[in-house]
mmCIF file of all heavy atoms in Angstrom:
data_model
loop_
_atom_site.group_PDB
_atom_site.id
_atom_site.type_symbol
_atom_site.label_atom_id
_atom_site.label_comp_id
_atom_site.label_asym_id
_atom_site.label_seq_id
_atom_site.Cartn_x
_atom_site.Cartn_y
_atom_site.Cartn_z
ATOM 1 N N THR E 1 106.826 117.629 105.066
ATOM 2 C CA THR E 1 105.696 118.545 104.999
ATOM 3 C C THR E 1 104.859 118.451 106.271
ATOM 4 O O THR E 1 104.389 117.384 106.631
ATOM 5 C CB THR E 1 104.803 118.224 103.781
ATOM 6 O OG1 THR E 1 105.623 118.201 102.616
ATOM 7 C CG2 THR E 1 103.715 119.246 103.615
ATOM 8 N N ARG E 2 104.666 119.565 106.952
ATOM 9 C CA ARG E 2 103.899 119.546 108.197
ATOM 10 C C ARG E 2 102.421 119.290 107.944
ATOM 11 O O ARG E 2 101.755 118.604 108.724
ATOM 12 C CB ARG E 2 104.069 120.879 108.937
ATOM 13 C CG ARG E 2 105.458 121.079 109.509
ATOM 14 C CD ARG E 2 105.517 122.407 110.245
ATOM 15 N NE ARG E 2 106.842 122.606 110.805
ATOM 16 C CZ ARG E 2 107.230 122.132 111.976
ATOM 17 N NH1 ARG E 2 106.403 121.427 112.699
ATOM 18 N NH2 ARG E 2 108.451 122.353 112.425
ATOM 19 N N ASN E 3 101.891 119.869 106.871
ATOM 20 C CA ASN E 3 100.472 119.722 106.562
ATOM 21 C C ASN E 3 100.329 119.048 105.206
ATOM 22 O O ASN E 3 100.421 119.702 104.169
ATOM 23 C CB ASN E 3 99.790 121.099 106.551
ATOM 24 C CG ASN E 3 99.910 121.795 107.896
ATOM 25 O OD1 ASN E 3 99.486 121.263 108.909
ATOM 26 N ND2 ASN E 3 100.515 122.980 107.899
ATOM 27 N N PRO E 4 100.115 117.728 105.181
ATOM 28 C CA PRO E 4 100.048 117.008 103.907
ATOM 29 C C PRO E 4 98.957 117.562 103.000
ATOM 30 O O PRO E 4 97.905 118.005 103.453
ATOM 31 C CB PRO E 4 99.733 115.575 104.339
ATOM 32 C CG PRO E 4 100.210 115.474 105.740
ATOM 33 C CD PRO E 4 99.972 116.837 106.340
ATOM 34 N N MET E 5 99.234 117.529 101.702
ATOM 35 C CA MET E 5 98.289 117.984 100.693
ATOM 36 C C MET E 5 97.784 116.777 99.918
ATOM 37 O O MET E 5 98.557 115.927 99.485
ATOM 38 C CB MET E 5 98.971 118.965 99.739
ATOM 39 C CG MET E 5 98.065 119.457 98.613
ATOM 40 S SD MET E 5 98.975 120.470 97.411
ATOM 41 C CE MET E 5 99.907 119.217 96.504
ATOM 42 N N ARG E 6 96.474 116.702 99.710
ATOM 43 C CA ARG E 6 95.878 115.643 98.905
ATOM 44 C C ARG E 6 95.896 116.075 97.449
ATOM 45 O O ARG E 6 95.566 117.199 97.097
ATOM 46 C CB ARG E 6 94.441 115.406 99.368
ATOM 47 C CG ARG E 6 93.664 114.343 98.608
ATOM 48 C CD ARG E 6 92.356 114.099 99.345
ATOM 49 N NE ARG E 6 91.471 113.187 98.654
ATOM 50 C CZ ARG E 6 90.463 113.555 97.868
ATOM 51 N NH1 ARG E 6 90.225 114.853 97.679
ATOM 52 N NH2 ARG E 6 89.690 112.651 97.290
ATOM 53 N N PHE E 7 96.315 115.148 96.578
ATOM 54 C CA PHE E 7 96.346 115.451 95.152
ATOM 55 C C PHE E 7 96.138 114.153 94.382
ATOM 56 O O PHE E 7 96.020 113.068 94.967
ATOM 57 C CB PHE E 7 97.668 116.122 94.762
ATOM 58 C CG PHE E 7 98.874 115.247 94.938
ATOM 59 C CD1 PHE E 7 99.410 114.539 93.867
ATOM 60 C CD2 PHE E 7 99.495 115.111 96.171
ATOM 61 C CE1 PHE E 7 100.520 113.727 94.017
ATOM 62 C CE2 PHE E 7 100.606 114.306 96.340
ATOM 63 C CZ PHE E 7 101.120 113.602 95.264
ATOM 64 N N PHE E 8 96.114 114.252 93.044
ATOM 65 C CA PHE E 8 95.834 113.079 92.216
ATOM 66 C C PHE E 8 96.902 112.878 91.151
ATOM 67 O O PHE E 8 97.373 113.838 90.538
ATOM 68 C CB PHE E 8 94.471 113.212 91.520
ATOM 69 C CG PHE E 8 93.316 113.385 92.465
ATOM 70 C CD1 PHE E 8 92.630 114.589 92.514
ATOM 71 C CD2 PHE E 8 92.917 112.362 93.303
ATOM 72 C CE1 PHE E 8 91.558 114.763 93.378
ATOM 73 C CE2 PHE E 8 91.852 112.516 94.176
ATOM 74 C CZ PHE E 8 91.169 113.717 94.213
ATOM 75 N N LEU E 9 97.240 111.631 90.932
ATOM 76 C CA LEU E 9 98.031 111.225 89.777
ATOM 77 C C LEU E 9 97.092 110.579 88.764
ATOM 78 O O LEU E 9 95.946 110.260 89.091
ATOM 79 C CB LEU E 9 99.110 110.229 90.193
ATOM 80 C CG LEU E 9 100.109 110.691 91.252
ATOM 81 C CD1 LEU E 9 101.112 109.586 91.550
ATOM 82 C CD2 LEU E 9 100.822 111.972 90.833
ATOM 83 N N GLU E 10 97.571 110.386 87.547
ATOM 84 C CA GLU E 10 96.756 109.716 86.543
ATOM 85 C C GLU E 10 97.026 108.213 86.596
ATOM 86 O O GLU E 10 98.155 107.762 86.386
ATOM 87 C CB GLU E 10 97.056 110.245 85.145
ATOM 88 C CG GLU E 10 96.158 109.610 84.088
ATOM 89 C CD GLU E 10 96.363 110.196 82.707
ATOM 90 O OE1 GLU E 10 97.051 111.234 82.584
ATOM 91 O OE2 GLU E 10 95.835 109.611 81.738
ATOM 92 N N LYS E 11 95.996 107.459 86.875
ATOM 93 C CA LYS E 11 96.123 106.018 87.009
ATOM 94 C C LYS E 11 96.618 105.408 85.699
ATOM 95 O O LYS E 11 96.222 105.823 84.615
ATOM 96 C CB LYS E 11 94.766 105.429 87.405
ATOM 97 C CG LYS E 11 94.826 104.017 87.981
ATOM 98 C CD LYS E 11 93.444 103.555 88.442
ATOM 99 C CE LYS E 11 92.975 104.314 89.675
ATOM 100 N NZ LYS E 11 91.671 103.770 90.174
ATOM 101 N N HIS E 12 97.495 104.435 85.813
ATOM 102 C CA HIS E 12 98.061 103.676 84.698
ATOM 103 C C HIS E 12 99.007 104.491 83.821
ATOM 104 O O HIS E 12 99.441 104.007 82.783
ATOM 105 C CB HIS E 12 96.967 103.063 83.814
ATOM 106 C CG HIS E 12 95.927 102.303 84.583
ATOM 107 N ND1 HIS E 12 96.239 101.317 85.497
ATOM 108 C CD2 HIS E 12 94.569 102.404 84.600
ATOM 109 C CE1 HIS E 12 95.135 100.835 86.026
ATOM 110 N NE2 HIS E 12 94.099 101.478 85.509
ATOM 111 N N VAL E 13 99.311 105.734 84.238
ATOM 112 C CA VAL E 13 100.232 106.556 83.457
ATOM 113 C C VAL E 13 101.360 107.106 84.335
ATOM 114 O O VAL E 13 102.541 106.840 84.090
ATOM 115 C CB VAL E 13 99.495 107.721 82.761
ATOM 116 C CG1 VAL E 13 100.508 108.647 82.057
ATOM 117 C CG2 VAL E 13 98.485 107.198 81.759
ATOM 118 N N THR E 14 101.001 107.890 85.355
ATOM 119 C CA THR E 14 102.008 108.636 86.100
ATOM 120 C C THR E 14 103.004 107.730 86.814
ATOM 121 O O THR E 14 104.214 107.981 86.798
ATOM 122 C CB THR E 14 101.344 109.570 87.128
ATOM 123 O OG1 THR E 14 100.239 110.242 86.526
ATOM 124 C CG2 THR E 14 102.334 110.593 87.633
ATOM 125 N N ARG E 15 102.524 106.667 87.450
ATOM 126 C CA ARG E 15 103.444 105.800 88.172
ATOM 127 C C ARG E 15 104.276 104.945 87.222
ATOM 128 O O ARG E 15 105.419 104.595 87.516
ATOM 129 C CB ARG E 15 102.688 104.935 89.188
ATOM 130 C CG ARG E 15 102.045 105.774 90.286
ATOM 131 C CD ARG E 15 101.404 104.942 91.374
ATOM 132 N NE ARG E 15 102.409 104.353 92.255
ATOM 133 C CZ ARG E 15 102.648 103.053 92.354
ATOM 134 N NH1 ARG E 15 101.958 102.196 91.624
ATOM 135 N NH2 ARG E 15 103.552 102.598 93.193
ATOM 136 N N ALA E 16 103.727 104.617 86.064
ATOM 137 C CA ALA E 16 104.531 103.932 85.051
ATOM 138 C C ALA E 16 105.693 104.817 84.620
ATOM 139 O O ALA E 16 106.838 104.361 84.463
ATOM 140 C CB ALA E 16 103.662 103.579 83.844
ATOM 141 N N LYS E 17 105.398 106.085 84.436
ATOM 142 C CA LYS E 17 106.439 107.046 84.087
ATOM 143 C C LYS E 17 107.472 107.146 85.202
ATOM 144 O O LYS E 17 108.689 107.157 84.943
ATOM 145 C CB LYS E 17 105.795 108.414 83.838
ATOM 146 C CG LYS E 17 106.780 109.552 83.664
ATOM 147 C CD LYS E 17 106.046 110.874 83.548
ATOM 148 C CE LYS E 17 106.991 112.058 83.552
ATOM 149 N NZ LYS E 17 106.264 113.338 83.463
ATOM 150 N N GLU E 18 107.016 107.205 86.444
ATOM 151 C CA GLU E 18 107.934 107.320 87.575
ATOM 152 C C GLU E 18 108.905 106.140 87.617
ATOM 153 O O GLU E 18 110.116 106.313 87.794
ATOM 154 C CB GLU E 18 107.134 107.396 88.883
ATOM 155 C CG GLU E 18 107.975 107.592 90.132
ATOM 156 C CD GLU E 18 108.450 109.020 90.300
ATOM 157 O OE1 GLU E 18 108.121 109.871 89.457
ATOM 158 O OE2 GLU E 18 109.163 109.282 91.283
ATOM 159 N N HIS E 19 108.381 104.943 87.460
ATOM 160 C CA HIS E 19 109.241 103.762 87.482
ATOM 161 C C HIS E 19 110.242 103.793 86.329
ATOM 162 O O HIS E 19 111.408 103.409 86.498
ATOM 163 C CB HIS E 19 108.388 102.492 87.406
ATOM 164 C CG HIS E 19 107.692 102.148 88.674
ATOM 165 N ND1 HIS E 19 108.348 101.633 89.769
ATOM 166 C CD2 HIS E 19 106.389 102.242 89.047
ATOM 167 C CE1 HIS E 19 107.490 101.430 90.757
ATOM 168 N NE2 HIS E 19 106.295 101.789 90.344
ATOM 169 N N ALA E 20 109.807 104.254 85.170
ATOM 170 C CA ALA E 20 110.696 104.302 84.005
ATOM 171 C C ALA E 20 111.842 105.279 84.234
ATOM 172 O O ALA E 20 113.011 104.971 83.939
ATOM 173 C CB ALA E 20 109.900 104.699 82.759
ATOM 174 N N PHE E 21 111.541 106.455 84.757
ATOM 175 C CA PHE E 21 112.593 107.444 84.975
ATOM 176 C C PHE E 21 113.472 107.070 86.168
ATOM 177 O O PHE E 21 114.672 107.383 86.170
ATOM 178 C CB PHE E 21 111.984 108.836 85.142
ATOM 179 C CG PHE E 21 111.679 109.523 83.843
ATOM 180 C CD1 PHE E 21 110.509 109.258 83.154
ATOM 181 C CD2 PHE E 21 112.567 110.433 83.289
ATOM 182 C CE1 PHE E 21 110.221 109.874 81.953
ATOM 183 C CE2 PHE E 21 112.299 111.067 82.087
ATOM 184 C CZ PHE E 21 111.113 110.778 81.413
ATOM 185 N N MET E 22 112.897 106.418 87.174
ATOM 186 C CA MET E 22 113.716 105.941 88.278
ATOM 187 C C MET E 22 114.726 104.912 87.783
ATOM 188 O O MET E 22 115.886 104.899 88.230
ATOM 189 C CB MET E 22 112.839 105.350 89.377
ATOM 190 C CG MET E 22 112.091 106.381 90.197
ATOM 191 S SD MET E 22 113.172 107.510 91.098
ATOM 192 C CE MET E 22 114.004 106.361 92.182
ATOM 193 N N GLN E 23 114.308 104.051 86.873
ATOM 194 C CA GLN E 23 115.251 103.079 86.336
ATOM 195 C C GLN E 23 116.312 103.776 85.496
ATOM 196 O O GLN E 23 117.476 103.364 85.492
ATOM 197 C CB GLN E 23 114.523 102.021 85.507
ATOM 198 C CG GLN E 23 115.426 100.874 85.057
ATOM 199 C CD GLN E 23 116.137 100.193 86.214
ATOM 200 O OE1 GLN E 23 115.535 99.890 87.242
ATOM 201 N NE2 GLN E 23 117.434 99.953 86.057
ATOM 202 N N ALA E 24 115.941 104.855 84.803
ATOM 203 C CA ALA E 24 116.928 105.631 84.056
ATOM 204 C C ALA E 24 117.963 106.236 85.000
ATOM 205 O O ALA E 24 119.152 106.331 84.656
ATOM 206 C CB ALA E 24 116.230 106.738 83.256
ATOM 207 N N PHE E 25 117.527 106.630 86.182
ATOM 208 C CA PHE E 25 118.454 107.134 87.201
ATOM 209 C C PHE E 25 119.400 106.022 87.647
ATOM 210 O O PHE E 25 120.615 106.199 87.716
ATOM 211 C CB PHE E 25 117.646 107.677 88.380
ATOM 212 C CG PHE E 25 118.468 108.063 89.576
ATOM 213 C CD1 PHE E 25 119.347 109.128 89.523
ATOM 214 C CD2 PHE E 25 118.355 107.357 90.770
ATOM 215 C CE1 PHE E 25 120.100 109.490 90.631
ATOM 216 C CE2 PHE E 25 119.097 107.704 91.880
ATOM 217 C CZ PHE E 25 119.982 108.775 91.813
ATOM 218 N N ARG E 26 118.850 104.841 87.922
ATOM 219 C CA ARG E 26 119.680 103.716 88.366
ATOM 220 C C ARG E 26 120.631 103.254 87.266
ATOM 221 O O ARG E 26 121.715 102.741 87.550
ATOM 222 C CB ARG E 26 118.782 102.566 88.816
ATOM 223 C CG ARG E 26 117.916 102.904 90.029
ATOM 224 C CD ARG E 26 117.016 101.749 90.417
ATOM 225 N NE ARG E 26 116.221 102.068 91.597
ATOM 226 C CZ ARG E 26 114.894 102.184 91.599
ATOM 227 N NH1 ARG E 26 114.212 101.993 90.474
ATOM 228 N NH2 ARG E 26 114.258 102.470 92.711
ATOM 229 N N ASP E 27 120.218 103.425 86.017
ATOM 230 C CA ASP E 27 121.086 103.052 84.899
ATOM 231 C C ASP E 27 122.429 103.774 84.968
ATOM 232 O O ASP E 27 123.436 103.277 84.443
ATOM 233 C CB ASP E 27 120.418 103.393 83.556
ATOM 234 C CG ASP E 27 119.259 102.461 83.219
ATOM 235 O OD1 ASP E 27 119.149 101.389 83.844
ATOM 236 O OD2 ASP E 27 118.453 102.824 82.342
ATOM 237 N N ARG E 28 122.448 104.935 85.590
ATOM 238 C CA ARG E 28 123.671 105.734 85.615
ATOM 239 C C ARG E 28 124.793 105.056 86.396
ATOM 240 O O ARG E 28 125.962 105.380 86.193
ATOM 241 C CB ARG E 28 123.378 107.113 86.210
ATOM 242 C CG ARG E 28 122.492 107.972 85.326
ATOM 243 C CD ARG E 28 122.197 109.328 85.925
ATOM 244 N NE ARG E 28 121.407 110.147 85.011
ATOM 245 C CZ ARG E 28 120.999 111.374 85.269
ATOM 246 N NH1 ARG E 28 121.293 111.937 86.438
ATOM 247 N NH2 ARG E 28 120.280 112.045 84.382
ATOM 248 N N VAL E 29 124.461 104.143 87.300
ATOM 249 C CA VAL E 29 125.501 103.385 87.999
ATOM 250 C C VAL E 29 125.476 101.910 87.621
ATOM 251 O O VAL E 29 126.248 101.109 88.154
ATOM 252 C CB VAL E 29 125.406 103.533 89.530
ATOM 253 C CG1 VAL E 29 125.884 104.903 89.977
ATOM 254 C CG2 VAL E 29 124.003 103.241 90.025
ATOM 255 N N GLY E 30 124.557 101.526 86.744
ATOM 256 C CA GLY E 30 124.528 100.150 86.275
ATOM 257 C C GLY E 30 123.631 99.206 87.039
ATOM 258 O O GLY E 30 123.707 97.990 86.849
ATOM 259 N N LEU E 31 122.755 99.735 87.902
ATOM 260 C CA LEU E 31 121.834 98.885 88.649
ATOM 261 C C LEU E 31 120.709 98.434 87.724
ATOM 262 O O LEU E 31 119.942 99.250 87.211
ATOM 263 C CB LEU E 31 121.261 99.642 89.849
ATOM 264 C CG LEU E 31 120.108 98.966 90.612
ATOM 265 C CD1 LEU E 31 120.498 97.576 91.100
ATOM 266 C CD2 LEU E 31 119.646 99.834 91.775
#
């Protein structure tokens, strides 16, 4: 992105969700 945009996530929720779904992605190869 040439011009970064400032935005907000929900503290204690959104990043927990991100980590959970990222691990679900890694589960597909057994990591």
